[in-house]
Amino acid sequence: MRTRRDAWKLPASDLTLEWYGKAVAAMRALPRSNPGGWDYQAAVHGVGVLPTVQNGFWAECQHGSSFFLPWHRMYLLHFERIVAAAVEKLGGPKDWALPYWNYEDPAHRALPIAFRRQSLADGSPNPLFVAQRSAGANAGQTVLTPKDVDLARCLKAPGTTSPGGFFGGAAPAHFGNAGGELELTPHNTVHVAVGRPNGLMIDPDFAALDPIFWLHHANIDRLWEVWLRRDPTHRNPTSAYWLTGVPFQFHDATGGVVTMRTLDVLSLAAPVLDYTYEDLTDPLTQLQGFVVPAAPPPSGAADLVGATTTAVHLTDHVEHVAVPTPVSPAAFRRAGAPDAFVAPGAPASQLVQQVTLVLDNVTSDATGPTYDVYVNVPTAADPTQHEDRFVGRVALFGIKQASDPAGLHGGSGQTIALDITALYHRLDDAKEIDPSNLRVSFVPIEPEPGTKVTVGRVSLYFA
Amino acid sequence: MIAAITAAWGYMLAHAVSARRFACCPAYPTAGEELIGWLAMAVAMMLPSKLAAVRDVAARSYRARRVRAACGYMVGYLAWWLAAGVIVLAVRSLPASHEIRTATWLCAIAAVLAILPLRARLFRLCHRTIALCPVGWRADRDAIRQGSLHGWPCVATCWPLMLACTITGHNLVMMAAGTALAYLESQMFRLERRPLVAGAILLGAWTLAL
């Protein structure tokens, strides 16, 4: 069994990353048509470097759906096997495994050193270095902020495919549905933070050309396993459609075609995977000393209780949006259970199990615009001075592709769902929320001048 | 919506039983009969594949407006089929449109259409969503627009088989198989051309047997 190890904790004498670099160089030398080549493997995620799409293998990346995690696990698996074969061919170890970039520790939120050096000790170019990254990332700065790598949201998310759940939407799509919590943060946020403003990582069509891409995704894959182990209520979806309904094709290390379904990759110990991670401990337990049980997923379907009546246009400035919410928590409760007794003045926490803020059909031709979202910040106040009202960071990774009606994604844009249950209940308990009007603020993060993003609708759902 | 689909199939079945054959409409119907038959066929065959889209529109609307939003979607969607029906009326004035062999050719066109790159783009547009205004006339407009956005790609991809069904006098076997094919496509994760081509070829073979 291969063990994927933390790139930041590899001993100085360890050669894992050195062999990775040699394999990358060897793969880059292969023609684009070779499935074992670097460009070909990158094109499986997005076809930025190749002129045409070869159906079935290229541009197959799954985002904004519950296939995000299993597809990327399959993708990583085959990439790892291809690199391992290259390492072995070059005279390296037979058990090479892909390391992961664990950004949990604040000291490890800079790019691992092996990816920043422009040249190796012998003066030759470092295959793991690419210039197309944020300047701070290649300069060794702590490029990831706590909000980029906030694991609490995703690790506490319920195992549902509904908005606000750990998995993305169940409907078939590349981009377009609501992504799961792990996909939103830290997946999207790290992509954008490393690639900002015009790097490879910020654009799904080019992201896999950066060697750090694979270590980032190994960490996302690891966090899926951490989420499963941290709470007995955390379970993978069980729908037949998710488990066996959709086949995906890849090339193995010999160039042969392999077809896989989600069910094939759910257990790391399964012979087809046969790998583990050096560290699968729960980071939230380490921080808090105990496990906070996750709230059970809501029993009923979500109801729309508020929404803007026009599209919201975001720019490179702070924007405040009023969201009319004509359906109060009590009215929602009565509508769902007409016979239920609703005590006058009952708090929202007794009436509503889940509160989800949804940004519908977000479109833009910008690459990776990012906003911090706040709820009910006092009028004229600076949202960044009210971190207790912070909801989440929305990094719109892939928004350009999702917005193109002629592209692979149909032009629906992205839908972002943020679970704001705890904050809503807290504000309601403190009588600091107007039940008929929710105020949502968007703070741009390192915006490019002239950035324009359209949110088709800002909606509020109760469940 | 399910009531509309059931009623449409009921209409088709009733006419087929009364005619004592597997087709519900006479070979030379009046314009009114033709248009009603065409629309009933569109409801019976196409709407089952749009159930998920209608549910989505309803779920993105206030509880009190869900039925209205679903109806708006269907109006927008069926408007394209009604427009196509007007063209069908003109086409049916041609003698060739009453020959079964024309239906065979239309099935062949459907098979060819399934393999064109344009087909994949239309398939993706069939899943496109837009933001819906939650209240007022704009809510109705958006529900209609959402249906319309799904309607035209659907007409553009399904017209050959639908016209073939019409030429066969709304043959029930043709209609049932066409419905299954449309539903199968609506459930596809990505466009799978082989079942669509095979289905069109089988339907073409069936027209030869009629």
Side-chain angles (χ1 to χ4, degrees):
Chain A
M1 178 179 278
R2 294 174 201 270
T3 300
R4 294 180 179 174
R5 293 185 292 161
D6 187 337
W8 266 106
K9 293 181 178 172
L10 293 171
S13 59
D14 188 272
L15 298 177
T16 302
L17 289 173
E18 190 177 324
W19 282 116
Y20 180 41
K22 287 178 179 174
V24 169
M27 289 169 71
R28 281 193 182 130
L30 294 174
R32 287 178 170 179
S33 57
N34 189 323
W38 187 253
D39 285 354
Y40 190 104
Q41 281 298 307
V44 172
H45 195 268
V47 289
V49 291
L50 296 161
T52 55
V53 175
Q54 180 187 335
N55 271 340
F57 294 104
W58 290 348
E60 279 288 301
C61 67
Q62 302 299 317
H63 296 89
S65 92
S66 54
F67 291 102
F68 166 72
L69 289 170
W71 184 86
H72 281 87
R73 177 169 283 181
M74 297 170 202
Y75 184 34
L76 245 62
L77 175 75
H78 292 103
F79 174 80
E80 182 180 54
R81 299 279 164 84
I82 288 167
V83 174
V87 166
E88 195 177 340
K89 197 174 169 185
L90 292 165
K94 291 183 177 177
D95 63 345
W96 186 89
L98 184 66
Y100 58 90
W101 178 18
N102 183 0
Y103 17 75
E104 234 164 75
D105 184 340
H108 297 163
R109 289 176 188 166
L111 215 57
I113 296 158
F115 292 81
R116 291 187 250 140
R117 285 192 295 251
Q118 293 198 40
S119 53
L120 301 175
D122 61 1
S124 60
N126 175 12
L128 301 183
F129 174 84
V130 292
Q132 301 100 315
R133 292 185 186 128
S134 79
N138 273 340
Q141 294 170 7
T142 304
V143 70
L144 305 179
T145 66
K147 285 179 180 173
D148 289 321
V149 295
D150 176 16
L151 300 181
R153 291 182 63 86
C154 68
L155 292 181
K156 289 179 182 174
T160 64
T161 55
S162 52
F166 185 75
F167 299 91
H174 287 260
F175 287 88
N177 295 307
E181 289 285 357
L182 178 58
E183 184 180 346
L184 291 179
T185 307
H187 169 261
N188 284 2
T189 47
V190 170
H191 261 289
V192 172
V194 173
R196 190 182 283 132
N198 298 310
L200 299 174
M201 278 283 277
I202 202 170
D203 188 331
D205 277 347
F206 296 93
L209 288 168
D210 188 333
I212 197 65
F213 167 93
W214 304 92
L215 278 74
H216 169 41
H217 268 279
N219 194 45
I220 297 299
D221 187 63
R222 184 184 72 90
L223 288 170
W224 180 11
E225 198 64 20
V226 169
W227 175 84
L228 277 169
R229 292 176 183 218
R230 75 176 300 270
D231 189 319
T233 67
H234 287 175
R235 293 276 184 274
N236 287 322
T238 54
S239 77
Y241 181 69
W242 190 71
L243 292 171
T244 58
V246 182
F248 296 105
Q249 288 191 312
F250 298 89
H251 288 282
D252 63 17
T254 66
V257 174
V258 181
T259 301
M260 294 186 117
R261 291 170 169 78
T262 301
L263 186 61
D264 300 326
V265 296
L266 293 183
S267 168
L268 297 187
V272 70
L273 297 182
D274 198 31
Y275 67 82
T276 188
Y277 287 96
E278 180 182 39
D279 183 1
L280 287 168
T281 54
D282 179 1
L284 300 187
T285 310
Q286 288 175 340
L287 290 174
Q288 299 164 352
F290 60 92
V291 174
V292 179
S299 49
D303 269 16
L304 178 71
V305 297
T308 52
T309 54
T310 56
V312 173
H313 300 285
L314 306 181
T315 62
D316 50 2
H317 294 88
V318 176
E319 301 286 341
H320 303 282
V321 180
V323 183
T325 51
V327 183
S328 67
F332 160 76
R333 177 76 170 172
R334 283 193 208 100
D339 299 332
F341 171 72
V342 178
S349 54
Q350 288 179 12
L351 304 170
V352 179
Q353 273 183 286
Q354 189 177 41
V355 185
T356 310
L357 183 71
V358 178
L359 313 180
D360 294 288
N361 301 95
V362 185
T363 55
S364 176
D365 59 3
T367 306
T370 302
Y371 294 88
D372 279 353
V373 182
Y374 296 77
V375 162
N376 270 27
V377 172
T379 309
D382 177 3
T384 60
Q385 300 303 309
H386 293 268
E387 289 303 325
D388 60 324
R389 308 291 172 94
F390 175 70
V391 168
R393 174 160 291 184
V394 174
L396 297 166
F397 176 64
I399 188 71
K400 194 166 62 176
Q401 288 81 354
S403 306
D404 178 10
L408 289 171
H409 313 294
S412 300
Q414 290 183 358
T415 293
I416 310 292
L418 299 162
D419 187 335
I420 62 166
T421 309
L423 175 59
Y424 190 92
H425 286 168
R426 179 158 53 79
L427 292 174
D428 182 70
D429 288 344
K431 308 290 182 205
E432 290 181 4
I433 202 158
D434 174 0
S436 63
N437 222 331
L438 191 75
R439 189 174 156 82
V440 182
S441 302
F442 297 88
V443 178
I445 303 301
E446 297 189 36
E448 289 290 288
T451 296
K452 288 179 183 170
V453 173
T454 300
V455 182
R457 187 175 85 171
V458 181
S459 317
L460 191 70
Y461 287 82
F462 287 164
Chain B
M1 181 173 181
I2 291 171
I5 294 168
T6 308
W9 275 105
Y11 172 83
M12 295 293 181
L13 281 168
H15 280 72
V17 168
S18 66
R20 294 178 181 276
R21 58 200 178 98
F22 287 118
C24 76
C25 297
Y28 290 92
T30 64
E33 286 173 334
E34 187 79 81
L35 204 56
I36 290 170
W38 173 263
L39 263 184
M41 187 177 69
V43 170
M45 292 179 67
M46 295 290 117
L47 282 189
S49 63
K50 291 295 158 196
L51 276 169
V54 171
R55 273 192 217 108
D56 175 61
V57 167
R60 291 191 286 135
S61 303
Y62 287 125
R63 188 181 276 257
R65 290 192 63 104
R66 283 180 181 169
V67 173
R68 190 167 168 166
C71 290
Y73 176 93
M74 286 192 283
V75 166
Y77 180 78
L78 290 172
W80 284 99
W81 284 107
L82 181 62
V86 174
I87 297 170
V88 167
L89 283 183
V91 169
R92 292 284 273 171
S93 65
L94 304 172
S97 72
H98 297 273
E99 292 175 15
I100 292 293
R101 190 179 297 173
T102 306
T104 311
W105 279 110
L106 284 165
C107 291
I109 291 171
V112 171
L113 197 61
I115 58 174
L116 296 179
L118 174 69
R119 188 75 175 75
R121 188 173 168 188
L122 292 170
F123 172 80
R124 290 191 290 271
L125 289 174
C126 286
H127 293 94
R128 188 179 178 193
T129 62
I130 56 167
L132 306 175
C133 182
V135 290
W137 66 269
R138 283 182 298 182
D140 299 324
R141 176 202 63 188
D142 288 350
I144 291 169
R145 192 167 155 241
Q146 177 69 82
S148 173
L149 278 173
H150 288 174
W152 76 262
C154 207
V155 171
T157 52
C158 300
W159 69 266
L161 282 185
M162 294 292 276
L163 190 54
C165 286
T166 301
I167 288 172
T168 61
H170 303 283
N171 180 276
L172 290 180
V173 175
M174 288 282 290
M175 282 183 56
T179 306
L181 217 52
Y183 188 77
L184 175 73
E185 187 186 341
S186 74
Q187 299 301 302
M188 285 177 181
F189 185 77
R190 59 175 82 80
L191 184 65
E192 306 279 352
R193 292 183 165 88
R194 272 181 288 190
L196 300 181
V197 172
I201 290 172
L202 282 174
L203 282 176
W206 173 253
T207 60
L208 290 175
L210 286 173

